[in-house]
Amino acid sequence: EAGVAQSPRYKIIEKRQSVAFWCNPISGHATLYWYQQILGQGPKLLIQFQNNGVVDDSQLPKDRFSAERLKGVDSTLKIQPAKLEDSAVYLCASSLVLWTSGGISTDTQYFGPGTRLTVL
Amino acid sequence: ELKVEQNPLFLSMQEGKNYTIYCNYSTTSDRLYWYRQDPGKSLESLFVLLSNGAVKQEGRLMASLDTKARLSTLHITAAVHDLSATYFCAVQFYFGTGTSLTVIP
């Protein structure tokens, strides 16, 4: 089974430039997540999609970050304009949606290799 | 906002020794995850703990969950060098700060 794919793997840009990251989740996984992992910290959720709808984007800096998942499969995360503090690894993850008697839940997340962004 | 705390943040241990990593979280949750991250790599799922009293074991690692205490532990038995990595616990989509484990020969 193919894993979560991300590209590019590395990106170096200057501050105030724009950048976009791409993610293709595991086939059949309805839920897709974007995380930001700053060096030495745990991943921080930026946005969660279920199919092509946004479930949670409360921690997404919407003045500069945007994300979309138009056809409910792959997704793009964009930063415009980038700041020095955006230097981090951007991780994409996907999971199945579980339907239980207690309500909707999500299964284990499977992470992609990440995109390492350096803003100079 | 849900808070997830791990301790210790850094752990250096000798091969063959036992140790426990602790994960505390601030609100009730029906599941807790443990992940491993090797340097420069992505996260790999280790355990999913689904209920109070749940215990799971894989090789030298054993994880447990106490939902009443909002506490999970990751116990390492007879550590080997291959276990050197950073270990994260996560509740819902909130991750702890990670525990960087170094096993010394």
Side-chain angles (χ1 to χ4, degrees), chain A residues 18-90:
Chain A
S18 302
V19 65
F21 313 128
W22 174 82
C23 171
N24 191 18
I26 293 173
S27 178
H29 281 193
T31 309
L32 185 148
Y33 315 79
W34 283 102
Y35 289 88
Q36 179 192 58
Q37 186 176 23
I38 294 172
L39 186 65
Q41 299 181 18
K44 171 188 169 184
L45 180 69
L46 293 175
I47 189 166
Q48 177 192 358
F49 291 96
Q50 187 162 312
N51 297 310
N52 60 352
V54 175
V55 175
D56 182 358
D57 63 356
S58 58
Q59 298 191 94
L60 185 73
K62 298 180 184 65
D63 58 334
R64 299 185 298 106
F65 286 64
S66 64
E68 59 184 15
R69 193 184 184 197
L70 293 176
K71 297 183 179 179
V73 180
D74 56 354
S75 176
T76 303
L77 176 70
K78 297 179 182 178
I79 307 175
Q80 179 180 11
K83 293 185 176 181
L84 296 177
E85 58 260 38
D86 297 333
S87 293
V89 175
Y90 290 84

Side-chain angles (χ1 to χ4, degrees), chain A residues 11 13-16 82-84 86-87 117-120:
Chain A
K11 190 74 176 179
I13 61 173
E14 295 188 348
K15 60 183 179 182
R16 293 188 289 272
K83 293 185 176 181
L84 296 177
D86 297 333
S87 293
L117 173 67
T118 302
V119 182
L120 303 176

